[in-house]
Amino acid sequence: NAGVTQTPKFQVLKTGQSMTLQCAQDMNHNSMYWYRQDPGMGLRLIYYSASEGTTDKGEVPNGYNVSRLNKREFSLRLESAAPSQTSVYFCASRIGYTEAFFGQGTRLTVV
Amino acid sequence: QKEVEQDPGPLSVPEGAIVSLNCTYSNSAFQYFMWYRQYSRKGPELLMYTYSSGNKEDGRFTAQVDKSSKYISLFIRDSQPSDSATYLCAMSGRAQKLVFGQGTRLTINP
C-alpha cells in the first residue's frame, strides 16, 4: 500500500550538476504532477502528465524536463542545477478530477 | 498574474474561534475545487472537495464556492490546536491541470 513514492528524499547538488528525481505510483492513476514548494509560495506546478505518453508545462517549467516512462512512473530531470532550484519537490497523482495523492517530497539543495 | 491567489498569512487565532480562509481565481474553466492541509515537512492531504458552486460541510469544516465571483472559502468551526497547519486551496478544470494557491499558515493558540 505504498501510494506515491519519491526518490531520493534528500539531495545536495553542486551548481551545474544534473540529476533525475523519480516518482512512482501504484494506484493506477492516469494523471501525474511535479510541484516545487518554496517558503510563502505554495505549490507551483512544474509539469504534469494527463495520461501515459503526454506531458504539459505548468507555471514554472524552465530548467526542468520530464518523462512519463509508463503509467506508473513520472520523472523530473534537472539538466544543469542552479541555486534557484533549491526547493522541496512533490510528486502527485490522481484519477479523473478527484483527490490528488502526494509523495513525501524530495528536499533538494543546490550549492 | 497567478491563476489562483491566496493570502499567505500567517493567521493566528485562539482555540474555539471560527477561522475563514479564502482564495480567488481567474480561470473560468475551473470546476473542481479542493482544500488541502499540510503539516510541517509532510505532503499535502485532501481536506475538502467541491464540484462547481455551492456549499459542502464535513464535521467542523465547511467549503463554499462562488463561481460567479471566482471566490472559494473554507470555514473551520470550534478550531483546535491540532488544526494548526498550512491550508492550500487547489482547483482544476477538465484539462487535468491542477493549480494551487500560496497556502495560508494557520496557528490555533490554546
Side-chain angles (χ1 to χ4, degrees), chain B residues 43-96:
Chain B
E45 293 181 331
L46 184 71
L47 191 60
M48 297 285 284
Y49 174 90
T50 310
Y51 169 66
S52 194
S53 285
N55 294 356
K56 184 174 183 179
E57 187 172 320
D58 184 1
R60 297 185 293 110
F61 299 90
T62 300
Q64 290 185 350
V65 174
D66 182 348
K67 290 190 69 178
S68 63
S69 301
K70 296 188 176 67
Y71 188 86
I72 71 171
S73 301
L74 178 71
F75 298 96
I76 307 174
R77 293 184 298 280
D78 188 24
S79 55
Q80 304 295 311
S82 58
D83 295 329
S84 298
T86 296
Y87 290 79
L88 301 117
C89 62
M91 45 199 82
S92 73
R94 298 187 68 81
Q96 287 296 332

Side-chain angles (χ1 to χ4, degrees), chain A residues 31 33 35 37 94 96-97 100, chain B residues 36 38 49 92 96 98 102:
Chain A
S31 302
Y33 305 82
Y35 296 90
Q37 187 170 36
R94 68 174 179 163
Y97 307 107
Chain B
Y36 283 79
Q38 185 179 27
Y49 174 90
S92 73
Q96 287 296 332
L98 180 61
Q102 293 133 292

Side-chain angles (χ1 to χ4, degrees), chain A residues 45-48 55-62, chain B residues 97:
Chain A
L45 181 62
I46 305 172
Y47 273 93
Y48 67 104
T55 61
D56 286 285
K57 294 179 180 179
E59 303 164 276
V60 289
N62 292 344
Chain B
K97 183 180 179 182

Side-chain angles (χ1 to χ4, degrees), chain A:
Chain A
N1 197 20
V4 179
T5 302
Q6 290 183 235
T7 55
K9 289 187 169 52
F10 302 92
Q11 183 71 49
V12 178
L13 286 180
K14 293 182 179 178
T15 298
Q17 286 185 319
S18 62
M19 80 160 294
T20 299
L21 280 64
Q22 307 285 354
C23 176
Q25 53 90 8
D26 61 2
M27 297 173 283
N28 201 33
H29 287 173
N30 296 321
S31 302
M32 297 186 73
Y33 305 82
W34 276 107
Y35 296 90
R36 61 177 289 174
Q37 187 170 36
D38 303 295
M41 301 294 289
L43 289 166
R44 290 188 291 170
L45 181 62
I46 305 172
Y47 273 93
Y48 67 104
S49 171
S51 62
E52 185 178 354
T54 68
T55 61
D56 286 285
K57 294 179 180 179
E59 303 164 276
V60 289
N62 292 344
Y64 305 96
N65 286 300
V66 290
S67 295
R68 184 73 182 267
L69 304 169
N70 47 55
K71 193 171 185 178
R72 290 187 64 248
E73 298 172 289
F74 189 38
S75 62
L76 178 71
R77 182 159 178 85
L78 286 70
E79 291 291 352
S80 179
S84 60
Q85 294 178 305
T86 293
S87 189
V88 180
Y89 291 83
F90 285 101
C91 176
S93 71
R94 68 174 179 163
I95 189 164
Y97 307 107
T98 59
E99 176 182 3
F101 291 83
F102 284 80
Q104 287 300 296
T106 295
R107 294 184 175 273
L108 175 66
T109 302
V110 183
V111 298

